[in-house]
Amino acid sequence: MTSSVEFMPLVAAIAEACAFARALILVLKQEAEALSGSGGMMSERLIKTKDAYVAAQARALELLHGNESALGLDGFRALEELEALIDDMGTASLDALIENHPEKVEFRYERAGVFLSQGRDEEARRDYMAVLSKEPAHFGALNDLGNLQMESGCHHAARSLFYRAVSAHPGQALGHVNLADLLLSQTDYEAAKKHYQIAVGLDPGLHAAHQGLALALAGLGDEAGA
């Protein structure tokens, strides 16, 4: 059984990592403009804060390994806080840029992608919709939100978004593949075939288009073509 002597340094290490994470988030927000306008160059202050956070997190994880049962309620709360801070760290500079430049949709689109990678689907969905409210034909937002809606089972909404994407950007092969994938999942093989063929014509090397076309042809009973 783990003693309280081992327990206290573990919780303290997690708390220290949280403190450095909060400090790093603050610096990221304060230096957002500089990071955006300098090709991502980090200041000495930001580098030092980041290094301190990384070292603190590494120590906390090292102590945590194999000692999860020693955490206790306070330890679990501290660990949950650290995990939330790690998520916030990914969007800290983008939050500041969006606040200062609400008219620039690319910052919000980029943050939506970060939210998506963190499994924060609702926050990603809100950002994609905010992008589309300002730029209705934004190709990335139409497709990414369409995929998110499809994964959530909202097929009608996804279909509408994908059709908007191919209508506004008929020369983008990926848009046709996304629409065709949805049509294929709904067994609309003829329509799926059409869009896979367009995608193949636009980008003959696009593997997903060839694979989807084979499935659509097979669904139509054209085994030889498939």
Side-chain angles (χ1 to χ4, degrees), residues 202-221:
L202 291 168
D203 185 355
L206 188 58
H207 174 75
H210 288 282
Q211 185 178 44
L213 180 56
L215 292 171
L217 289 170
L220 290 166

PDB file of all heavy atoms in Angstrom, residues 202-221:
ATOM      1  N   LEU A 202     -10.733  14.450 -61.399  1.00  0.00           N
ATOM      2  CA  LEU A 202     -10.006  15.619 -60.889  1.00  0.00           C
ATOM      3  C   LEU A 202      -8.645  15.246 -60.313  1.00  0.00           C
ATOM      4  O   LEU A 202      -7.674  15.995 -60.437  1.00  0.00           O
ATOM      5  CB  LEU A 202     -10.843  16.318 -59.802  1.00  0.00           C
ATOM      6  CG  LEU A 202     -12.110  17.029 -60.274  1.00  0.00           C
ATOM      7  CD1 LEU A 202     -12.984  17.410 -59.085  1.00  0.00           C
ATOM      8  CD2 LEU A 202     -11.740  18.292 -61.082  1.00  0.00           C
ATOM      9  N   ASP A 203      -8.596  14.074 -59.653  1.00  0.00           N
ATOM     10  CA  ASP A 203      -7.358  13.630 -59.006  1.00  0.00           C
ATOM     11  C   ASP A 203      -7.216  12.122 -59.179  1.00  0.00           C
ATOM     12  O   ASP A 203      -7.646  11.345 -58.318  1.00  0.00           O
ATOM     13  CB  ASP A 203      -7.377  14.004 -57.519  1.00  0.00           C
ATOM     14  CG  ASP A 203      -6.062  13.689 -56.812  1.00  0.00           C
ATOM     15  OD1 ASP A 203      -5.170  13.094 -57.450  1.00  0.00           O
ATOM     16  OD2 ASP A 203      -5.934  14.034 -55.622  1.00  0.00           O
ATOM     17  N   PRO A 204      -6.628  11.688 -60.313  1.00  0.00           N
ATOM     18  CA  PRO A 204      -6.531  10.249 -60.604  1.00  0.00           C
ATOM     19  C   PRO A 204      -5.764   9.450 -59.555  1.00  0.00           C
ATOM     20  O   PRO A 204      -5.914   8.234 -59.466  1.00  0.00           O
ATOM     21  CB  PRO A 204      -5.797  10.210 -61.956  1.00  0.00           C
ATOM     22  CG  PRO A 204      -6.049  11.557 -62.553  1.00  0.00           C
ATOM     23  CD  PRO A 204      -6.088  12.507 -61.402  1.00  0.00           C
ATOM     24  N   GLY A 205      -4.962  10.102 -58.756  1.00  0.00           N
ATOM     25  CA  GLY A 205      -4.181   9.390 -57.746  1.00  0.00           C
ATOM     26  C   GLY A 205      -4.845   9.319 -56.390  1.00  0.00           C
ATOM     27  O   GLY A 205      -4.243   8.819 -55.426  1.00  0.00           O
ATOM     28  N   LEU A 206      -6.086   9.791 -56.281  1.00  0.00           N
ATOM     29  CA  LEU A 206      -6.775   9.814 -54.989  1.00  0.00           C
ATOM     30  C   LEU A 206      -7.336   8.432 -54.675  1.00  0.00           C
ATOM     31  O   LEU A 206      -8.352   8.011 -55.216  1.00  0.00           O
ATOM     32  CB  LEU A 206      -7.895  10.866 -55.013  1.00  0.00           C
ATOM     33  CG  LEU A 206      -8.591  11.165 -53.686  1.00  0.00           C
ATOM     34  CD1 LEU A 206      -7.611  11.634 -52.624  1.00  0.00           C
ATOM     35  CD2 LEU A 206      -9.680  12.222 -53.899  1.00  0.00           C
ATOM     36  N   HIS A 207      -6.667   7.737 -53.769  1.00  0.00           N
ATOM     37  CA  HIS A 207      -7.012   6.343 -53.443  1.00  0.00           C
ATOM     38  C   HIS A 207      -8.457   6.216 -52.964  1.00  0.00           C
ATOM     39  O   HIS A 207      -9.170   5.289 -53.365  1.00  0.00           O
ATOM     40  CB  HIS A 207      -6.056   5.816 -52.370  1.00  0.00           C
ATOM     41  CG  HIS A 207      -6.403   4.457 -51.860  1.00  0.00           C
ATOM     42  ND1 HIS A 207      -6.164   3.314 -52.593  1.00  0.00           N
ATOM     43  CD2 HIS A 207      -6.979   4.062 -50.695  1.00  0.00           C
ATOM     44  CE1 HIS A 207      -6.578   2.261 -51.892  1.00  0.00           C
ATOM     45  NE2 HIS A 207      -7.066   2.682 -50.739  1.00  0.00           N
ATOM     46  N   ALA A 208      -8.895   7.144 -52.105  1.00  0.00           N
ATOM     47  CA  ALA A 208     -10.244   7.045 -51.538  1.00  0.00           C
ATOM     48  C   ALA A 208     -11.309   7.104 -52.625  1.00  0.00           C
ATOM     49  O   ALA A 208     -12.365   6.459 -52.503  1.00  0.00           O
ATOM     50  CB  ALA A 208     -10.460   8.173 -50.527  1.00  0.00           C
ATOM     51  N   ALA A 209     -11.048   7.851 -53.693  1.00  0.00           N
ATOM     52  CA  ALA A 209     -12.019   7.954 -54.782  1.00  0.00           C
ATOM     53  C   ALA A 209     -12.129   6.632 -55.531  1.00  0.00           C
ATOM     54  O   ALA A 209     -13.233   6.182 -55.865  1.00  0.00           O
ATOM     55  CB  ALA A 209     -11.615   9.081 -55.731  1.00  0.00           C
ATOM     56  N   HIS A 210     -10.998   5.986 -55.795  1.00  0.00           N
ATOM     57  CA  HIS A 210     -11.017   4.692 -56.489  1.00  0.00           C
ATOM     58  C   HIS A 210     -11.683   3.621 -55.618  1.00  0.00           C
ATOM     59  O   HIS A 210     -12.481   2.812 -56.113  1.00  0.00           O
ATOM     60  CB  HIS A 210      -9.591   4.263 -56.842  1.00  0.00           C
ATOM     61  CG  HIS A 210      -8.982   5.072 -57.950  1.00  0.00           C
ATOM     62  ND1 HIS A 210      -9.288   4.859 -59.275  1.00  0.00           N
ATOM     63  CD2 HIS A 210      -8.083   6.093 -57.922  1.00  0.00           C
ATOM     64  CE1 HIS A 210      -8.603   5.711 -60.036  1.00  0.00           C
ATOM     65  NE2 HIS A 210      -7.872   6.477 -59.228  1.00  0.00           N
ATOM     66  N   GLN A 211     -11.335   3.623 -54.350  1.00  0.00           N
ATOM     67  CA  GLN A 211     -11.911   2.631 -53.437  1.00  0.00           C
ATOM     68  C   GLN A 211     -13.426   2.812 -53.336  1.00  0.00           C
ATOM     69  O   GLN A 211     -14.185   1.825 -53.401  1.00  0.00           O
ATOM     70  CB  GLN A 211     -11.275   2.773 -52.059  1.00  0.00           C
ATOM     71  CG  GLN A 211     -11.720   1.699 -51.063  1.00  0.00           C
ATOM     72  CD  GLN A 211     -11.021   1.862 -49.729  1.00  0.00           C
ATOM     73  OE1 GLN A 211     -10.908   2.981 -49.218  1.00  0.00           O
ATOM     74  NE2 GLN A 211     -10.544   0.780 -49.158  1.00  0.00           N
ATOM     75  N   GLY A 212     -13.871   4.055 -53.195  1.00  0.00           N
ATOM     76  CA  GLY A 212     -15.303   4.319 -53.108  1.00  0.00           C
ATOM     77  C   GLY A 212     -16.026   3.972 -54.388  1.00  0.00           C
ATOM     78  O   GLY A 212     -17.132   3.420 -54.355  1.00  0.00           O
ATOM     79  N   LEU A 213     -15.390   4.286 -55.525  1.00  0.00           N
ATOM     80  CA  LEU A 213     -16.013   3.964 -56.815  1.00  0.00           C
ATOM     81  C   LEU A 213     -16.200   2.459 -56.961  1.00  0.00           C
ATOM     82  O   LEU A 213     -17.241   2.002 -57.457  1.00  0.00           O
ATOM     83  CB  LEU A 213     -15.148   4.513 -57.955  1.00  0.00           C
ATOM     84  CG  LEU A 213     -15.656   4.268 -59.381  1.00  0.00           C
ATOM     85  CD1 LEU A 213     -17.075   4.816 -59.561  1.00  0.00           C
ATOM     86  CD2 LEU A 213     -14.701   4.896 -60.399  1.00  0.00           C
ATOM     87  N   ALA A 214     -15.229   1.689 -56.517  1.00  0.00           N
ATOM     88  CA  ALA A 214     -15.351   0.226 -56.579  1.00  0.00           C
ATOM     89  C   ALA A 214     -16.543  -0.253 -55.755  1.00  0.00           C
ATOM     90  O   ALA A 214     -17.308  -1.128 -56.186  1.00  0.00           O
ATOM     91  CB  ALA A 214     -14.068  -0.426 -56.072  1.00  0.00           C
ATOM     92  N   LEU A 215     -16.725   0.331 -54.576  1.00  0.00           N
ATOM     93  CA  LEU A 215     -17.845  -0.064 -53.724  1.00  0.00           C
ATOM     94  C   LEU A 215     -19.186   0.332 -54.329  1.00  0.00           C
ATOM     95  O   LEU A 215     -20.162  -0.420 -54.258  1.00  0.00           O
ATOM     96  CB  LEU A 215     -17.685   0.581 -52.340  1.00  0.00           C
ATOM     97  CG  LEU A 215     -16.511   0.073 -51.499  1.00  0.00           C
ATOM     98  CD1 LEU A 215     -16.330   0.923 -50.256  1.00  0.00           C
ATOM     99  CD2 LEU A 215     -16.703  -1.392 -51.134  1.00  0.00           C
ATOM    100  N   ALA A 216     -19.220   1.519 -54.950  1.00  0.00           N
ATOM    101  CA  ALA A 216     -20.464   1.964 -55.592  1.00  0.00           C
ATOM    102  C   ALA A 216     -20.820   1.064 -56.766  1.00  0.00           C
ATOM    103  O   ALA A 216     -21.990   0.684 -56.954  1.00  0.00           O
ATOM    104  CB  ALA A 216     -20.322   3.415 -56.047  1.00  0.00           C
ATOM    105  N   LEU A 217     -19.811   0.714 -57.558  1.00  0.00           N
ATOM    106  CA  LEU A 217     -20.056  -0.184 -58.698  1.00  0.00           C
ATOM    107  C   LEU A 217     -20.524  -1.555 -58.230  1.00  0.00           C
ATOM    108  O   LEU A 217     -21.432  -2.155 -58.827  1.00  0.00           O
ATOM    109  CB  LEU A 217     -18.782  -0.300 -59.546  1.00  0.00           C
ATOM    110  CG  LEU A 217     -18.401   0.945 -60.341  1.00  0.00           C
ATOM    111  CD1 LEU A 217     -17.007   0.807 -60.930  1.00  0.00           C
ATOM    112  CD2 LEU A 217     -19.429   1.251 -61.439  1.00  0.00           C
ATOM    113  N   ALA A 218     -19.913  -2.033 -57.151  1.00  0.00           N
ATOM    114  CA  ALA A 218     -20.328  -3.323 -56.610  1.00  0.00           C
ATOM    115  C   ALA A 218     -21.779  -3.252 -56.125  1.00  0.00           C
ATOM    116  O   ALA A 218     -22.561  -4.197 -56.332  1.00  0.00           O
ATOM    117  CB  ALA A 218     -19.412  -3.726 -55.462  1.00  0.00           C
ATOM    118  N   GLY A 219     -22.157  -2.123 -55.524  1.00  0.00           N
ATOM    119  CA  GLY A 219     -23.522  -1.954 -55.078  1.00  0.00           C
ATOM    120  C   GLY A 219     -24.512  -1.926 -56.216  1.00  0.00           C
ATOM    121  O   GLY A 219     -25.674  -2.323 -56.058  1.00  0.00           O
ATOM    122  N   LEU A 220     -24.055  -1.479 -57.395  1.00  0.00           N
ATOM    123  CA  LEU A 220     -24.904  -1.453 -58.590  1.00  0.00           C
ATOM    124  C   LEU A 220     -24.896  -2.787 -59.334  1.00  0.00           C
ATOM    125  O   LEU A 220     -25.572  -2.925 -60.368  1.00  0.00           O
ATOM    126  CB  LEU A 220     -24.442  -0.335 -59.522  1.00  0.00           C
ATOM    127  CG  LEU A 220     -24.717   1.101 -59.038  1.00  0.00           C
ATOM    128  CD1 LEU A 220     -23.933   2.101 -59.866  1.00  0.00           C
ATOM    129  CD2 LEU A 220     -26.204   1.403 -59.081  1.00  0.00           C
ATOM    130  N   GLY A 221     -24.129  -3.728 -58.810  1.00  0.00           N
ATOM    131  CA  GLY A 221     -24.061  -5.055 -59.439  1.00  0.00           C
ATOM    132  C   GLY A 221     -23.037  -5.165 -60.530  1.00  0.00           C
ATOM    133  O   GLY A 221     -22.965  -6.190 -61.228  1.00  0.00           O
TER     134      GLY A 221
END
